[in-house]
Amino acid sequence: MPGKIRKIDENRWELPQSFRPGMRVPGIVYADDSLMRDIREDQALEQVANVACLPGIVKASIAMPDIHWGYGFPIGGVAATRVKDGVVSPGGVGFDINCGVRLLRTDLMEADVRPRLDELVTNLFNNVPSGVGSSGKVRLSAKEIEQVMRKGGRWAVEQGWGDADDLEVTEESGTLAGSQPDLISKRARERGAPQLGTLGSGNHFLEVQAVETIYDADAASAMGIEQIGQVTVLIHCGSRGLGHQVCDDYLKVMDAARSRYGIELPDRQLACAPVESKEGRDYLASLACAANFAWANRQCIAHWTRQAFEQVFGQSWRRMGMRQVYDVAHNIAKIERHTVDGKSMRVCVHRKGATRSFPPGHDEVPARYREVGQPVLIPGDMGRYSFLAVGVATAMEETFGSTCHGAGRLKSRSAARRELKGRDIAAELREQGIVVRAASRKGLLEEASMAYKDVAQVIDVAEAAGLVKKVAKMRPMGVVKG
Amino acid sequence: MWSAGAAYNSRVRSSRERVIETGFRILEHTADAAIEATGKDLRQLFANAARGMFQVITELDSIGETLARDVSADAADREALLVAWLNEFVYLFDVENILFRRFEIGELTETMVKGRAFGEPIDHGRHDVKTAIKSTTYHGLSITGGGDGYRARVIFDV
């Protein structure tokens, strides 16, 4: 049986190395008493401890306030491993490589959009393919998918879908270096080729929002968020079948390599190989291909979102000020430089359901945000609100520059369906002023507000612990679900 | 040896489990989807696990049989083989949008399976497709039993 956990302060808990045998570092969980009660309900803490067993892990196996039971790594987990003698684990990223969030701002106000909201949401639903089995408007040729995997968001911009400004405010400028498309399997290509520019299903969405609260006017202004009622658009999706297959392919590779490297693991889903091994290097080069596909995907979707607004409001997207605020990944592994025990070192940072949160002044933060910090996008459930925030210095010191990524599920999908049986969620949301279009009725039940934790509680803990700073809160007006 | 399967078994909230149909049931999992499949032998177990997977995706009863596909998979051991077998259908679903409802297992060893699956392409008018499955995971994966019957637990990333 697992050992005891120790409360460090109001927002931090420690899983000492005695929690389970084989832990190389302690676990640190960011949560208050109330969140911890939910976290203890399932196996997330055991997973934090399992991750602490990975060879070469430094400092701690870290869990964000939105942590919940995943497979292998918990969702909301962060782990950094030494490049020189540590491992990289595809399970530390997950199947949806570079699942992430993109925020667009507009000059429109809620009063402008409200009268046309139904039409707008229908237009978005028709313009942006969503749901299971949806195909994109582009079907990539063999040559094109190579380019997508190499260039990422830049490929889409070269097609005329968006502009260079979008890339400036995308993590890694929308192109993760080191991609090697020749490593990508035929299956991954087949799965990805018809799916570029699709939202997918599950918790992915496209949301029209109105700014409800501004907490930090200077930071908000730097991001083009000037007033209450201003309309924004939030897009949440990832690398679709291409990323899923890359993860599959490398789980097999790593599983087979395990015995060769003498790696013993508490969970097979944590399969890993040394960062500096052929398997490790190949995985990171393949991950870059999938990450780039995801950035191209969100770039396409942002473009079609702008087109839908153009069709409804009869103005060009530039005239409506539909600039991108930021695009950030929350399922990714990257080699970064961090200070550990007073020493600067290269580490492989796994963020699985965790958002990069780099502070003001960091080189990786786009020039226009260098003074305020990297924008952090934290979506909530479709009935409540989402947050715009910025990275802070404490995150750099404590969590390898990472923070939470969303609300986190509270109820299983089947529990949500069972408890909401017979309810018309779309009609209930409409009562609240939220127009929803979803590809699946049952899918909509599974994604209802009550199935999620309150994202405000999650971000308040993250902020109190110094992992992020709130800038603005947006509430949903219109939602497109897969 | 790997033993996370046993830990998982003891922690599933059995009070909330729901029997859907003989041969498999859907288990509670907070973020993803899990099933338990049973079979009098491994052949039936593999077939029922695939049926359970399509029940996670849509209502199994809504799927017709208008086409068949030969499906095969190989892997290093029995557990990995079950993952590989199920992922064949994830792939066919993703690339060809086919829903399957019936599975016949031909050859089956510890490391190789050959079978035939029957189903039809998605028709959004008739099939309420709740969710796609990104992949079958190794987390909490177990196949237990022997002579008088087998039981498997599988978690899917949805």
Side-chain angles (χ1 to χ4, degrees):
Chain A
M1 272 305 287
K4 288 200 159 53
I5 64 171
R6 182 176 75 85
K7 188 170 177 178
I8 301 171
D9 60 27
E10 285 310 303
N11 300 301
R12 289 175 181 80
W13 303 72
E14 184 194 39
L15 277 67
Q17 280 169 259
S18 59
F19 187 86
R20 65 152 290 147
M23 287 174 73
R24 295 165 194 260
V25 291
I28 300 287
V29 180
Y30 289 85
D32 60 11
D33 289 342
S34 149
L35 286 171
M36 185 51 84
R37 266 194 299 277
D38 291 335
I39 293 167
R40 284 175 190 266
E41 286 280 303
D42 60 29
Q43 294 180 56
L45 293 177
E46 283 85 332
Q47 293 190 319
V48 174
N50 289 348
V51 170
C53 301
L54 289 176
I57 185 169
V58 292
K59 194 141 86 182
S61 165
I62 298 164
M64 294 299 153
D66 50 337
I67 177 187
H68 52 280
W69 182 21
Y71 41 87
F73 272 56
I75 297 163
V78 176
T81 50
R82 282 187 298 269
V83 168
K84 68 174 166 59
D85 61 352
V87 294
V88 59
S89 172
V93 176
F95 288 98
D96 201 359
I97 295 167
N98 190 8
C99 184
V101 199
R102 176 175 294 217
L103 182 70
L104 308 177
R105 51 86 68 203
T106 75
D107 288 335
L108 300 170
M109 297 298 292
E110 183 171 5
D112 305 321
V113 172
R114 181 65 64 189
R116 313 284 297 272
L117 188 58
D118 274 295
E119 188 188 348
L120 178 64
V121 174
T122 300
N123 236 294
L124 287 166
F125 187 75
N126 294 335
N127 255 290
V128 180
S130 63
V132 175
S134 55
S135 292
K137 300 175 181 180
V138 280
R139 185 168 271 268
L140 297 170
S141 68
K143 203 172 161 193
E144 283 169 330
I145 201 165
E146 292 266 336
Q147 294 298 312
V148 169
M149 290 190 281
R150 274 186 211 289
K151 295 181 176 176
R154 188 153 50 87
W155 178 85
V157 169
E158 284 171 7
Q159 311 307 305
W161 303 335
D163 62 23
D165 190 64
D166 298 339
L167 300 177
E168 272 180 43
V169 286
T170 299
E171 181 174 345
E172 299 293 337
S173 304
T175 312
L176 191 56
S179 67
Q180 284 186 47
D182 53 309
L183 293 171
I184 301 300
S185 66
K186 180 166 168 282
R187 282 202 165 185
R189 291 161 195 260
E190 282 177 308
R191 288 177 73 174
Q195 294 182 342
L196 189 74
T198 63
L199 274 179
S201 63
N203 63 357
H204 295 151
F205 65 81
L206 189 166
E207 193 171 282
V208 180
Q209 315 171 313
V211 174
E212 187 173 79
T213 311
I214 294 176
Y215 304 96
D216 180 337
D218 290 340
S221 181
M223 298 178 204
I225 304 294
E226 308 283 355
Q227 51 189 325
I228 309 297
Q230 188 177 342
V231 170
T232 56
V233 180
L234 194 64
I235 296 162
H236 174 216
C237 61
S239 50
R240 310 289 285 109
L242 188 137
H244 310 164
Q245 189 65 43
V246 165
C247 182
D248 257 353
D249 292 344
Y250 280 91
L251 282 170
K252 268 184 231 145
V253 168
M254 304 278 185
D255 194 53
R258 206 164 32 130
S259 54
R260 187 157 63 251
Y261 296 110
I263 299 170
E264 287 195 28
L265 298 167
D267 179 349
R268 200 168 180 178
Q269 191 70 32
L270 291 175
C272 54
V275 180
E276 294 282 20
S277 66
K278 178 175 180 349
E279 292 86 354
R281 280 192 297 264
D282 284 358
Y283 170 64
L284 286 170
S286 301
L287 170 144
C289 293
N292 289 339
F293 185 94
W295 275 311
N297 193 30
R298 292 197 288 276
Q299 186 66 43
C300 291
I301 290 172
H303 175 67
W304 295 325
T305 297
R306 286 165 170 163
Q307 279 188 335
F309 272 76
E310 287 179 339
Q311 285 157 14
V312 172
F313 297 102
Q315 292 184 60
S316 75
W317 64 266
R318 287 188 176 84
R319 271 202 77 128
M320 290 182 279
M322 292 188 75
R323 282 190 289 108
Q324 182 173 315
V325 174
Y326 201 61
D327 177 307
V328 68
H330 55 223
N331 282 359
I332 204 158
K334 293 203 294 194
I335 309 295
E336 295 174 358
R337 188 164 279 283
H338 288 276
T339 304
V340 180
D341 298 330
K343 276 188 298 196
S344 168
M345 63 168 78
R346 287 171 74 229
V347 288
C348 179
V349 183
H350 301 72
R351 296 190 182 94
K352 184 183 186 185
T355 314
R356 197 180 73 169
S357 177
F358 281 179
H362 195 286
D363 288 351
E364 297 279 321
V365 178
R368 75 185 69 169
Y369 300 139
R370 194 98 15 112
E371 276 186 32
V372 297
Q374 175 216 303
V376 172
L377 311 173
I378 315 287
D381 65 78
M382 63 186 174
R384 281 183 276 206
Y385 27 68
S386 298
F387 288 90
L388 171 62
V390 279
V392 288
T394 329
M396 219 54 197
E397 291 152 21
E398 293 192 13
T399 58
F400 302 98
S402 315
T403 189
C404 56
H405 88 305
R409 282 194 83 91
L410 189 61
K411 290 179 190 291
S412 73
R413 290 166 196 278
S414 45
R417 275 207 310 278
R418 193 169 51 239
E419 289 174 33
L420 294 170
K421 200 171 182 200
R423 297 250 301 264
D424 186 341
I425 296 298
E428 289 176 26
L429 286 169
R430 187 174 278 275
E431 290 280 303
Q432 291 178 53
I434 302 167
V435 176
V436 179
R437 288 289 304 265
S440 163
R441 228 181 109 86
K442 289 208 174 95
L444 197 60
L445 291 180
E446 294 178 359
E447 292 297 316
S449 269
M450 54 79 83
Y452 282 88
K453 295 178 201 169
D454 183 351
V455 69
Q457 198 185 355
V458 168
I459 196 165
D460 284 347
V461 168
E463 186 173 61
L467 304 184
V468 75
K469 185 166 177 288
K470 284 192 288 192
V471 171
K473 178 162 82 173
M474 295 85 72
R475 97 187 116 70
M477 296 171 62
V479 185
V480 173
K481 292 288 302 183
Chain B
M1 268 310 287
W2 178 66
S3 64
Y8 173 72
N9 284 348
S10 65
R11 288 175 158 269
V12 165
R13 297 170 215 167
S14 55
S15 61
R16 292 191 188 166
E17 290 168 9
R18 188 162 66 105
V19 176
I20 300 278
E21 202 176 331
T22 317
F24 66 84
R25 55 186 175 166
I26 309 287
L27 305 178
E28 294 291 327
H29 188 286
T30 320
D32 294 305
I35 59 159
E36 181 181 86
T38 52
K40 65 176 175 13
D41 54 25
L42 283 169
R43 280 190 170 75
Q44 205 179 57
L45 182 78
F46 270 56
N48 283 337
R51 290 172 62 236
M53 187 174 86
F54 279 96
Q55 177 65 36
V56 169
I57 295 171
T58 188
E59 292 300 324
L60 199 57
D61 287 342
S62 72
I63 305 170
E65 286 186 28
T66 62
L67 55 80
R69 283 276 190 282
D70 289 322
V71 176
S72 61
D74 53 69
D77 53 62
R78 196 168 73 178
E79 280 78 13
L81 186 65
L82 181 59
V83 169
W85 161 253
L86 295 173
N87 278 343
E88 286 299 307
F89 300 108
V90 172
Y91 164 75
L92 286 169
F93 178 77
D94 216 18
V95 172
E96 298 188 47
N97 297 325
I98 306 175
L99 295 163
F100 291 99
R101 65 167 288 149
R102 191 162 64 84
F103 306 84
E104 287 174 359
I105 312 293
E107 277 182 79
L108 178 65
T109 70
E110 292 279 303
T111 58
M112 181 274 291
V113 57
K114 284 185 179 169
R116 194 163 171 78
F118 303 85
E120 66 173 335
I122 294 180
D123 171 353
H124 286 287
R126 284 187 298 116
H127 305 127
D128 185 358
V129 182
K130 292 172 276 195
T131 184
I133 286 177
K134 291 172 188 163
S135 188
T136 313
T137 78
Y138 290 90
H139 177 65
L141 173 67
S142 69
I143 299 179
T144 53
D148 57 350
Y150 289 86
R151 189 175 293 269
R153 294 199 178 209
V154 185
I155 298 176
F156 302 104
D157 184 12
V158 299

